[in-house]
């Protein structure tokens, strides 16, 4: 069974930083592209970043480009999202999601339970 | 950026009714359009991929159709457990985008 478990969320002040982690199991991790998708309270999902299976390709939404950095460690079956210069617009549940291919241009077939990030003074 | 619009925003339906949700893309995306269901306090769940491909474990009452810019999700014979928000998502062009959602309520 595919499992994606996020951690690292919490309350942070504007301008602060946070690092999210996602631990994956139940599939051959280094064969799959992964992504981060966030959902602000009462809103629909918003794509944040995608990373290909070997980290050769990493893409970001304009709203986070230059502030967020996605990475992965295939030896640890994990992906990460380093978030800097956070603002209240970044308040959301952040989901770790899997794409059923090695690249990024694909469906999101499995989602984690999400981790809440709240940016507030 | 490809904008996805959904209609209706909200639909209240009776059990066993047929429901159709539409998703329109601001430019052609072929069949790279996917549908998700999200129940309260849960993560989104994939329902249909690439416009019309079914997903293992998803009830057969859910079906999808369309290509280019116009897509539909159909629920044939609504059940109580189908009360949820439904979102479309395109994976054709970066940035990947989602529709604003359709909330379905059971009368």
């Amino acid at each position: 069974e595919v499992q994606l478990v996020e951690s690292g969320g919490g309350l942070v002040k504007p301008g602060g930083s946070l690092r999210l982690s996602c631990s994956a199991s139940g599939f051959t991790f280094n064969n799959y592209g992964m992504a981060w998708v966030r959902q602000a309270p009462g809103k629909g999902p918003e794509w944040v970043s995608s990373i290909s299976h070997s980290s050769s390709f990493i893409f970001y939404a304009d709203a986070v480009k230059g502030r967020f950095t996605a990475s992965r460690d295939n030896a640890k079956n994990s992906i990460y999202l380093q978030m800097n210069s956070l603002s209240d617009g970044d308040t959301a549940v952040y989901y770790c999601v899997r794409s059923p291919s090695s690249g990024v241009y694909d469906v999101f077939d499995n989602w984690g339970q999400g981790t809440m990030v709240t940016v507030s003074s | 950026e490809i904008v996805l619009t959904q209609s209706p925003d909200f639909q209240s339906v009776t059990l066993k009714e047929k429901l159709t949700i539409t998703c329109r893309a601001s430019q052609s995306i072929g069949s790279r359009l996917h549908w998700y269901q999200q129940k309260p306090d849960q993560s989104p769940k994939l329902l249909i991929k690439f416009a019309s491909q079914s997903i293992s474990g998803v009830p057969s009452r859910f079906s999808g159709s369309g290509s280019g810019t116009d897509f539909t999700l159909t629920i044939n014979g609504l059940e109580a457990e189908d009360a949820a928000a439904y979102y479309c998502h395109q994976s054709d062009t970066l940035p990947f985008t989602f529709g604003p959602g359709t909330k379905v309520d059971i009368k």
Side-chain angles (χ1 to χ4, degrees), chain A residues 46-74:
Chain A
E46 177 189 20
W47 171 77
V48 172
S49 177
S50 288
I51 182 166
S52 63
H53 74 296
S54 62
S55 305
S56 296
F57 301 99
I58 304 176
F59 301 101
Y60 300 94
D62 284 348
V64 308
K65 202 173 293 183
R67 301 187 299 122
F68 289 12
T69 302
S71 61
R72 66 188 292 162
D73 184 339
N74 287 345

Side-chain angles (χ1 to χ4, degrees), chain A residues 14 18-19 22 24-25 32-34 40 52 58 64 88 96 99-101 114:
Chain A
L18 217 51
R19 188 191 193 217
C22 169
S25 61
Y32 291 84
M34 300 292 294
S52 63
I58 304 176
V64 308
D88 49 9
C96 169
S99 290
S101 69

